[in-house]
Amino acid sequence: MIHATFTMRSVTLDMDTKVDVLLPEDRHKTEDIRGTKYPVLYVLHGYKNDNSSWLHLSNLFLMCRDLDLIVVMPSVNNSFYMDEVYGQDYYTYVTEELPTKLKNYLPITDDPEKTFVMGESMGGYGTLRCALGKPENYGKAVVLSGANILKMEGNTGGRHLYGVYGSSKQDVMDTDGNIDNLCDKLAVYEGHKPQIKFYCGLEDFVYPNCKQMADKLAESNPDVFAGAEYWHGEHNYFFWNEAIPKALKFFGFEVKQDSVI
C-alpha cells in the first residue's frame, strides 16, 4: 500500500489543508491496472487529533496493506464535522468538496455501495453526521466510540465550541447537529440508505451515550442499524485497534495475516 500526504487548496475552507491517503499496491508483482476503480474508506479523526493520527496511533496501515481499498484521512481540526456557526464549513468540505476533488485525480469509485466511512470519538459523531445526513453517498459506516455529542453531559470541548455551535449547544438541538434529528429524517427518507454498525468499550466514558445512540437508530431505522458490539475497553487506540479488523470485515474485506511480509 502506498502512503501519500496531499496539501490541497479547499475552496470551501478557503485555505490549504492536508489529507493522508493510502493507495492499493500489489507488492508482489507489477501489473498494468490503469482504469481500475477502487472502493474508498473515509476515516475520520477524533478531537484534538488530525489527519495523521490514524497512521501514527493505530494499526490501520498494516490492516489495509494488501487490500484493494483506497483510504482517505482528512483533517478538520476540532470542528466536530460541522459547518461551524462562526468558522468554516467542514461538513460540506468532507461530504461534498473532498470526494469530488479526490475523484478528479485518484481511481475512486462513484458507487455509493463501495463508499465507506468510519471514525472514532469526535470522528464517530462525524461518521453519523455523514452517513445519516448524506445517506445517498455511503454504503456502510462504522462508529467507534461515537455518540450524539449534543446529548452528552459536561464539558465536551471547551469554549471554542461556541464557534462551532453558537452561543450554546442548545442553539442547535433543532438542527442536523443533533443526531436524533437525522435519525428521524432518515426514517422517512425513501432513497438509498447505508448500513451502520457501532463498536464501543464497556469502560469507555462514551459508552452510555454510544449505546443510547445505537438504540435510537435501531428503533427509528431498523433497516439501517447493522448491530452494535461492546466489549471491555476504554476510549483509546488499544480498543480501536481491536475494532479495525471487525470494521474492515463489515465493509467486506478480510485482513491478510501475512500482510507484514
Side-chain angles (χ1 to χ4, degrees):
M1 180 160 273
I2 301 168
H3 167 232
T5 301
F6 299 146
T7 299
M8 52 182 276
R9 173 60 56 90
S10 167
V11 176
T12 303
L13 303 178
D14 195 27
M15 68 178 191
D16 289 344
T17 185
K18 292 188 182 299
V19 183
D20 274 298
V21 177
L22 303 180
L23 298 167
E25 175 191 21
D26 191 330
R27 299 181 295 116
H28 307 290
K29 63 178 182 292
T30 300
E31 183 179 350
D32 188 344
I33 56 174
R34 284 175 292 181
T36 302
K37 294 288 187 179
Y38 291 96
V40 60
L41 169 61
Y42 294 91
V43 179
L44 310 183
H45 68 77
Y47 188 69
K48 300 180 183 179
N49 293 337
D50 65 8
N51 54 291
S52 67
S53 299
W54 276 90
L55 291 175
H56 294 156
L57 300 173
S58 82
N59 293 329
L60 183 66
F61 181 93
L62 179 62
M63 296 295 101
C64 295
R65 195 174 185 185
D66 286 316
L67 301 182
D68 288 332
L69 174 70
I70 293 177
V71 181
V72 177
M73 292 159 281
S75 189
V76 302
N77 296 322
N78 290 334
S79 67
F80 284 85
Y81 299 86
M82 294 280 290
D83 284 348
E84 299 174 309
V85 175
Y86 303 111
Q88 293 160 306
D89 293 340
Y90 282 102
Y91 177 71
T92 299
Y93 164 67
V94 168
T95 61
E96 297 180 18
E97 182 184 14
L98 180 63
T100 298
K101 278 202 167 183
L102 291 181
K103 287 176 185 178
N104 285 339
Y105 49 84
L106 293 177
I108 293 175
T109 182
D110 287 320
D111 186 354
E113 289 292 349
K114 296 181 180 180
T115 302
F116 315 116
V117 59
M118 173 179 77
E120 43 78 21
S121 193
M122 182 187 82
Y125 171 79
T127 295
L128 288 166
R129 292 269 295 125
C130 292
L132 300 177
K134 299 280 188 180
E136 69 277 10
N137 289 356
Y138 306 97
K140 292 181 179 179
V142 165
V143 179
L144 302 173
S145 307
N148 187 352
I149 189 67
L150 297 182
K151 301 187 76 172
M152 291 186 64
E153 297 180 1
N155 183 359
T156 55
R159 66 180 184 178
H160 94 273
L161 284 186
Y162 290 133
V164 176
Y165 293 114
S167 60
S168 72
K169 288 190 294 184
Q170 189 61 40
D171 292 345
V172 292
M173 288 302 291
D174 294 330
T175 73
D176 288 349
N178 182 351
I179 303 298
D180 287 357
N181 296 336
L182 288 177
C183 285
D184 295 337
K185 287 184 178 181
L186 191 66
V188 297
Y189 173 71
E190 297 181 353
H192 168 84
K193 297 182 181 182
Q195 297 291 295
I196 303 176
K197 194 161 189 176
F198 294 76
Y199 299 104
C200 191
L202 293 171
E203 289 76 33
D204 193 324
F205 72 92
V206 172
Y207 168 68
N209 298 88
C210 183
K211 186 177 186 304
Q212 182 184 58
M213 187 68 257
D215 292 345
K216 164 69 176 178
L217 186 65
E219 178 182 357
S220 61
N221 291 270
D223 57 330
V224 168
F225 179 69
E229 294 185 30
Y230 310 113
W231 63 91
H232 290 292
E234 299 184 8
H235 199 80
N236 55 42
Y237 277 96
F238 291 104
F239 177 85
W240 300 324
N241 275 331
E242 291 184 39
I244 290 174
K246 295 175 178 285
L248 290 172
K249 186 172 183 178
F250 174 63
F251 294 138
F253 300 93
E254 287 288 346
V255 175
K256 300 179 181 179
Q257 296 299 316
D258 62 351
S259 61
V260 297
I261 299 174

PDB file of all heavy atoms in Angstrom, residues 102-127:
ATOM      1  N   LEU A 102     -10.915  14.492  -4.910  1.00  0.00           N
ATOM      2  CA  LEU A 102     -10.096  13.289  -4.943  1.00  0.00           C
ATOM      3  C   LEU A 102     -10.432  12.416  -6.144  1.00  0.00           C
ATOM      4  O   LEU A 102      -9.547  11.790  -6.742  1.00  0.00           O
ATOM      5  CB  LEU A 102     -10.260  12.506  -3.646  1.00  0.00           C
ATOM      6  CG  LEU A 102      -9.675  13.154  -2.391  1.00  0.00           C
ATOM      7  CD1 LEU A 102      -9.883  12.255  -1.186  1.00  0.00           C
ATOM      8  CD2 LEU A 102      -8.195  13.473  -2.574  1.00  0.00           C
ATOM      9  N   LYS A 103     -11.705  12.365  -6.525  1.00  0.00           N
ATOM     10  CA  LYS A 103     -12.098  11.566  -7.688  1.00  0.00           C
ATOM     11  C   LYS A 103     -11.554  12.156  -8.986  1.00  0.00           C
ATOM     12  O   LYS A 103     -11.460  11.453  -9.996  1.00  0.00           O
ATOM     13  CB  LYS A 103     -13.616  11.462  -7.766  1.00  0.00           C
ATOM     14  CG  LYS A 103     -14.229  10.555  -6.715  1.00  0.00           C
ATOM     15  CD  LYS A 103     -15.748  10.564  -6.781  1.00  0.00           C
ATOM     16  CE  LYS A 103     -16.348   9.746  -5.662  1.00  0.00           C
ATOM     17  NZ  LYS A 103     -17.829   9.774  -5.681  1.00  0.00           N
ATOM     18  N   ASN A 104     -11.182  13.434  -8.946  1.00  0.00           N
ATOM     19  CA  ASN A 104     -10.615  14.055 -10.142  1.00  0.00           C
ATOM     20  C   ASN A 104      -9.237  13.507 -10.475  1.00  0.00           C
ATOM     21  O   ASN A 104      -8.826  13.545 -11.639  1.00  0.00           O
ATOM     22  CB  ASN A 104     -10.527  15.574  -9.964  1.00  0.00           C
ATOM     23  CG  ASN A 104     -11.876  16.245 -10.081  1.00  0.00           C
ATOM     24  OD1 ASN A 104     -12.806  15.694 -10.659  1.00  0.00           O
ATOM     25  ND2 ASN A 104     -11.997  17.449  -9.532  1.00  0.00           N
ATOM     26  N   TYR A 105      -8.503  13.007  -9.464  1.00  0.00           N
ATOM     27  CA  TYR A 105      -7.153  12.532  -9.769  1.00  0.00           C
ATOM     28  C   TYR A 105      -6.779  11.216  -9.095  1.00  0.00           C
ATOM     29  O   TYR A 105      -5.622  10.789  -9.168  1.00  0.00           O
ATOM     30  CB  TYR A 105      -6.102  13.603  -9.444  1.00  0.00           C
ATOM     31  CG  TYR A 105      -6.199  14.249  -8.084  1.00  0.00           C
ATOM     32  CD1 TYR A 105      -5.623  13.654  -6.964  1.00  0.00           C
ATOM     33  CD2 TYR A 105      -6.844  15.472  -7.921  1.00  0.00           C
ATOM     34  CE1 TYR A 105      -5.699  14.254  -5.731  1.00  0.00           C
ATOM     35  CE2 TYR A 105      -6.927  16.073  -6.684  1.00  0.00           C
ATOM     36  CZ  TYR A 105      -6.343  15.470  -5.594  1.00  0.00           C
ATOM     37  OH  TYR A 105      -6.422  16.070  -4.354  1.00  0.00           O
ATOM     38  N   LEU A 106      -7.727  10.551  -8.462  1.00  0.00           N
ATOM     39  CA  LEU A 106      -7.475   9.224  -7.919  1.00  0.00           C
ATOM     40  C   LEU A 106      -8.536   8.250  -8.441  1.00  0.00           C
ATOM     41  O   LEU A 106      -9.676   8.650  -8.705  1.00  0.00           O
ATOM     42  CB  LEU A 106      -7.515   9.246  -6.383  1.00  0.00           C
ATOM     43  CG  LEU A 106      -6.402  10.022  -5.673  1.00  0.00           C
ATOM     44  CD1 LEU A 106      -6.638  10.000  -4.168  1.00  0.00           C
ATOM     45  CD2 LEU A 106      -5.031   9.453  -6.008  1.00  0.00           C
ATOM     46  N   PRO A 107      -8.215   6.966  -8.570  1.00  0.00           N
ATOM     47  CA  PRO A 107      -9.156   5.986  -9.137  1.00  0.00           C
ATOM     48  C   PRO A 107     -10.205   5.535  -8.115  1.00  0.00           C
ATOM     49  O   PRO A 107     -10.278   4.358  -7.747  1.00  0.00           O
ATOM     50  CB  PRO A 107      -8.241   4.838  -9.565  1.00  0.00           C
ATOM     51  CG  PRO A 107      -7.111   4.889  -8.586  1.00  0.00           C
ATOM     52  CD  PRO A 107      -6.887   6.359  -8.315  1.00  0.00           C
ATOM     53  N   ILE A 108     -11.027   6.473  -7.660  1.00  0.00           N
ATOM     54  CA  ILE A 108     -12.038   6.205  -6.639  1.00  0.00           C
ATOM     55  C   ILE A 108     -13.382   5.941  -7.304  1.00  0.00           C
ATOM     56  O   ILE A 108     -13.797   6.677  -8.207  1.00  0.00           O
ATOM     57  CB  ILE A 108     -12.148   7.394  -5.662  1.00  0.00           C
ATOM     58  CG1 ILE A 108     -10.859   7.523  -4.845  1.00  0.00           C
ATOM     59  CG2 ILE A 108     -13.342   7.233  -4.739  1.00  0.00           C
ATOM     60  CD1 ILE A 108     -10.822   8.739  -3.941  1.00  0.00           C
ATOM     61  N   THR A 109     -14.067   4.925  -6.838  1.00  0.00           N
ATOM     62  CA  THR A 109     -15.359   4.558  -7.397  1.00  0.00           C
ATOM     63  C   THR A 109     -16.419   5.637  -7.167  1.00  0.00           C
ATOM     64  O   THR A 109     -16.334   6.410  -6.205  1.00  0.00           O
ATOM     65  CB  THR A 109     -15.859   3.238  -6.770  1.00  0.00           C
ATOM     66  OG1 THR A 109     -17.104   2.877  -7.363  1.00  0.00           O
ATOM     67  CG2 THR A 109     -16.045   3.384  -5.266  1.00  0.00           C
ATOM     68  N   ASP A 110     -17.406   5.657  -8.054  1.00  0.00           N
ATOM     69  CA  ASP A 110     -18.578   6.510  -7.867  1.00  0.00           C
ATOM     70  C   ASP A 110     -19.728   5.747  -7.210  1.00  0.00           C
ATOM     71  O   ASP A 110     -20.782   6.325  -6.938  1.00  0.00           O
ATOM     72  CB  ASP A 110     -19.065   7.052  -9.227  1.00  0.00           C
ATOM     73  CG  ASP A 110     -18.144   8.130  -9.773  1.00  0.00           C
ATOM     74  OD1 ASP A 110     -17.675   8.965  -8.984  1.00  0.00           O
ATOM     75  OD2 ASP A 110     -17.892   8.126 -10.993  1.00  0.00           O
ATOM     76  N   ASP A 111     -19.525   4.463  -6.960  1.00  0.00           N
ATOM     77  CA  ASP A 111     -20.577   3.605  -6.429  1.00  0.00           C
ATOM     78  C   ASP A 111     -20.738   3.835  -4.928  1.00  0.00           C
ATOM     79  O   ASP A 111     -19.816   3.548  -4.151  1.00  0.00           O
ATOM     80  CB  ASP A 111     -20.219   2.137  -6.699  1.00  0.00           C
ATOM     81  CG  ASP A 111     -21.334   1.183  -6.294  1.00  0.00           C
ATOM     82  OD1 ASP A 111     -22.338   1.635  -5.706  1.00  0.00           O
ATOM     83  OD2 ASP A 111     -21.187  -0.025  -6.558  1.00  0.00           O
ATOM     84  N   PRO A 112     -21.891   4.329  -4.476  1.00  0.00           N
ATOM     85  CA  PRO A 112     -22.074   4.547  -3.038  1.00  0.00           C
ATOM     86  C   PRO A 112     -21.991   3.258  -2.232  1.00  0.00           C
ATOM     87  O   PRO A 112     -21.605   3.289  -1.054  1.00  0.00           O
ATOM     88  CB  PRO A 112     -23.463   5.191  -2.943  1.00  0.00           C
ATOM     89  CG  PRO A 112     -24.156   4.819  -4.206  1.00  0.00           C
ATOM     90  CD  PRO A 112     -23.084   4.739  -5.237  1.00  0.00           C
ATOM     91  N   GLU A 113     -22.336   2.118  -2.853  1.00  0.00           N
ATOM     92  CA  GLU A 113     -22.267   0.852  -2.130  1.00  0.00           C
ATOM     93  C   GLU A 113     -20.825   0.472  -1.795  1.00  0.00           C
ATOM     94  O   GLU A 113     -20.587  -0.349  -0.909  1.00  0.00           O
ATOM     95  CB  GLU A 113     -22.911  -0.262  -2.960  1.00  0.00           C
ATOM     96  CG  GLU A 113     -24.422  -0.160  -3.072  1.00  0.00           C
ATOM     97  CD  GLU A 113     -25.130  -0.419  -1.745  1.00  0.00           C
ATOM     98  OE1 GLU A 113     -24.469  -0.880  -0.790  1.00  0.00           O
ATOM     99  OE2 GLU A 113     -26.338  -0.145  -1.654  1.00  0.00           O
ATOM    100  N   LYS A 114     -19.857   1.078  -2.496  1.00  0.00           N
ATOM    101  CA  LYS A 114     -18.451   0.802  -2.242  1.00  0.00           C
ATOM    102  C   LYS A 114     -17.751   2.013  -1.640  1.00  0.00           C
ATOM    103  O   LYS A 114     -16.524   2.142  -1.719  1.00  0.00           O
ATOM    104  CB  LYS A 114     -17.760   0.370  -3.537  1.00  0.00           C
ATOM    105  CG  LYS A 114     -18.299  -0.944  -4.088  1.00  0.00           C
ATOM    106  CD  LYS A 114     -17.583  -1.352  -5.362  1.00  0.00           C
ATOM    107  CE  LYS A 114     -18.129  -2.675  -5.907  1.00  0.00           C
ATOM    108  NZ  LYS A 114     -17.445  -3.083  -7.160  1.00  0.00           N
ATOM    109  N   THR A 115     -18.550   2.887  -1.047  1.00  0.00           N
ATOM    110  CA  THR A 115     -18.029   4.069  -0.375  1.00  0.00           C
ATOM    111  C   THR A 115     -18.352   3.953   1.107  1.00  0.00           C
ATOM    112  O   THR A 115     -19.523   3.830   1.489  1.00  0.00           O
ATOM    113  CB  THR A 115     -18.652   5.349  -0.950  1.00  0.00           C
ATOM    114  OG1 THR A 115     -18.372   5.417  -2.355  1.00  0.00           O
ATOM    115  CG2 THR A 115     -18.093   6.582  -0.262  1.00  0.00           C
ATOM    116  N   PHE A 116     -17.321   3.974   1.957  1.00  0.00           N
ATOM    117  CA  PHE A 116     -17.483   3.705   3.385  1.00  0.00           C
ATOM    118  C   PHE A 116     -16.932   4.866   4.213  1.00  0.00           C
ATOM    119  O   PHE A 116     -16.076   5.619   3.753  1.00  0.00           O
ATOM    120  CB  PHE A 116     -16.765   2.416   3.773  1.00  0.00           C
ATOM    121  CG  PHE A 116     -17.005   1.279   2.817  1.00  0.00           C
ATOM    122  CD1 PHE A 116     -15.966   0.718   2.072  1.00  0.00           C
ATOM    123  CD2 PHE A 116     -18.279   0.761   2.642  1.00  0.00           C
ATOM    124  CE1 PHE A 116     -16.180  -0.331   1.190  1.00  0.00           C
ATOM    125  CE2 PHE A 116     -18.520  -0.295   1.768  1.00  0.00           C
ATOM    126  CZ  PHE A 116     -17.467  -0.838   1.038  1.00  0.00           C
ATOM    127  N   VAL A 117     -17.413   4.964   5.448  1.00  0.00           N
ATOM    128  CA  VAL A 117     -16.912   5.989   6.358  1.00  0.00           C
ATOM    129  C   VAL A 117     -16.814   5.390   7.756  1.00  0.00           C
ATOM    130  O   VAL A 117     -17.660   4.597   8.171  1.00  0.00           O
ATOM    131  CB  VAL A 117     -17.809   7.252   6.336  1.00  0.00           C
ATOM    132  CG1 VAL A 117     -19.247   6.934   6.740  1.00  0.00           C
ATOM    133  CG2 VAL A 117     -17.228   8.352   7.208  1.00  0.00           C
ATOM    134  N   MET A 118     -15.750   5.772   8.465  1.00  0.00           N
ATOM    135  CA  MET A 118     -15.504   5.257   9.809  1.00  0.00           C
ATOM    136  C   MET A 118     -14.775   6.325  10.615  1.00  0.00           C
ATOM    137  O   MET A 118     -13.934   7.044  10.076  1.00  0.00           O
ATOM    138  CB  MET A 118     -14.647   3.986   9.736  1.00  0.00           C
ATOM    139  CG  MET A 118     -14.189   3.437  11.071  1.00  0.00           C
ATOM    140  SD  MET A 118     -13.215   1.906  10.901  1.00  0.00           S
ATOM    141  CE  MET A 118     -11.626   2.570  10.364  1.00  0.00           C
ATOM    142  N   GLY A 119     -15.085   6.424  11.897  1.00  0.00           N
ATOM    143  CA  GLY A 119     -14.381   7.383  12.726  1.00  0.00           C
ATOM    144  C   GLY A 119     -14.496   7.039  14.197  1.00  0.00           C
ATOM    145  O   GLY A 119     -15.399   6.306  14.609  1.00  0.00           O
ATOM    146  N   GLU A 120     -13.563   7.561  14.991  1.00  0.00           N
ATOM    147  CA  GLU A 120     -13.568   7.326  16.435  1.00  0.00           C
ATOM    148  C   GLU A 120     -13.819   8.627  17.184  1.00  0.00           C
ATOM    149  O   GLU A 120     -13.407   9.697  16.777  1.00  0.00           O
ATOM    150  CB  GLU A 120     -12.247   6.697  16.893  1.00  0.00           C
ATOM    151  CG  GLU A 120     -10.978   7.285  16.293  1.00  0.00           C
ATOM    152  CD  GLU A 120     -10.535   8.603  16.903  1.00  0.00           C
ATOM    153  OE1 GLU A 120     -10.944   8.900  18.051  1.00  0.00           O
ATOM    154  OE2 GLU A 120      -9.799   9.342  16.238  1.00  0.00           O
ATOM    155  N   SER A 121     -14.542   8.496  18.310  1.00  0.00           N
ATOM    156  CA  SER A 121     -14.810   9.618  19.201  1.00  0.00           C
ATOM    157  C   SER A 121     -15.493  10.755  18.436  1.00  0.00           C
ATOM    158  O   SER A 121     -16.567  10.561  17.883  1.00  0.00           O
ATOM    159  CB  SER A 121     -13.494  10.074  19.857  1.00  0.00           C
ATOM    160  OG  SER A 121     -13.728  10.948  20.926  1.00  0.00           O
ATOM    161  N   MET A 122     -14.878  11.934  18.349  1.00  0.00           N
ATOM    162  CA  MET A 122     -15.457  13.007  17.546  1.00  0.00           C
ATOM    163  C   MET A 122     -15.666  12.552  16.112  1.00  0.00           C
ATOM    164  O   MET A 122     -16.644  12.924  15.452  1.00  0.00           O
ATOM    165  CB  MET A 122     -14.557  14.249  17.579  1.00  0.00           C
ATOM    166  CG  MET A 122     -15.089  15.448  16.801  1.00  0.00           C
ATOM    167  SD  MET A 122     -13.921  16.833  16.691  1.00  0.00           S
ATOM    168  CE  MET A 122     -12.882  16.281  15.320  1.00  0.00           C
ATOM    169  N   GLY A 123     -14.755  11.696  15.626  1.00  0.00           N
ATOM    170  CA  GLY A 123     -14.913  11.140  14.289  1.00  0.00           C
ATOM    171  C   GLY A 123     -16.072  10.169  14.187  1.00  0.00           C
ATOM    172  O   GLY A 123     -16.631   9.976  13.102  1.00  0.00           O
ATOM    173  N   GLY A 124     -16.457   9.552  15.315  1.00  0.00           N
ATOM    174  CA  GLY A 124     -17.641   8.713  15.330  1.00  0.00           C
ATOM    175  C   GLY A 124     -18.901   9.536  15.184  1.00  0.00           C
ATOM    176  O   GLY A 124     -19.835   9.161  14.458  1.00  0.00           O
ATOM    177  N   TYR A 125     -18.911  10.672  15.872  1.00  0.00           N
ATOM    178  CA  TYR A 125     -20.001  11.632  15.703  1.00  0.00           C
ATOM    179  C   TYR A 125     -20.028  12.126  14.257  1.00  0.00           C
ATOM    180  O   TYR A 125     -21.095  12.218  13.628  1.00  0.00           O
ATOM    181  CB  TYR A 125     -19.821  12.792  16.676  1.00  0.00           C
ATOM    182  CG  TYR A 125     -20.746  13.973  16.467  1.00  0.00           C
ATOM    183  CD1 TYR A 125     -22.056  13.938  16.916  1.00  0.00           C
ATOM    184  CD2 TYR A 125     -20.279  15.131  15.845  1.00  0.00           C
ATOM    185  CE1 TYR A 125     -22.901  15.036  16.734  1.00  0.00           C
ATOM    186  CE2 TYR A 125     -21.110  16.221  15.663  1.00  0.00           C
ATOM    187  CZ  TYR A 125     -22.419  16.176  16.111  1.00  0.00           C
ATOM    188  OH  TYR A 125     -23.245  17.260  15.925  1.00  0.00           O
ATOM    189  N   GLY A 126     -18.845  12.419  13.715  1.00  0.00           N
ATOM    190  CA  GLY A 126     -18.762  12.857  12.326  1.00  0.00           C
ATOM    191  C   GLY A 126     -19.243  11.797  11.357  1.00  0.00           C
ATOM    192  O   GLY A 126     -19.876  12.099  10.338  1.00  0.00           O
ATOM    193  N   THR A 127     -18.953  10.531  11.675  1.00  0.00           N
ATOM    194  CA  THR A 127     -19.422   9.424  10.839  1.00  0.00           C
ATOM    195  C   THR A 127     -20.947   9.398  10.795  1.00  0.00           C
ATOM    196  O   THR A 127     -21.552   9.212   9.729  1.00  0.00           O
ATOM    197  CB  THR A 127     -18.884   8.084  11.378  1.00  0.00           C
ATOM    198  OG1 THR A 127     -17.457   8.081  11.250  1.00  0.00           O
ATOM    199  CG2 THR A 127     -19.470   6.905  10.627  1.00  0.00           C
TER     200      THR A 127
END
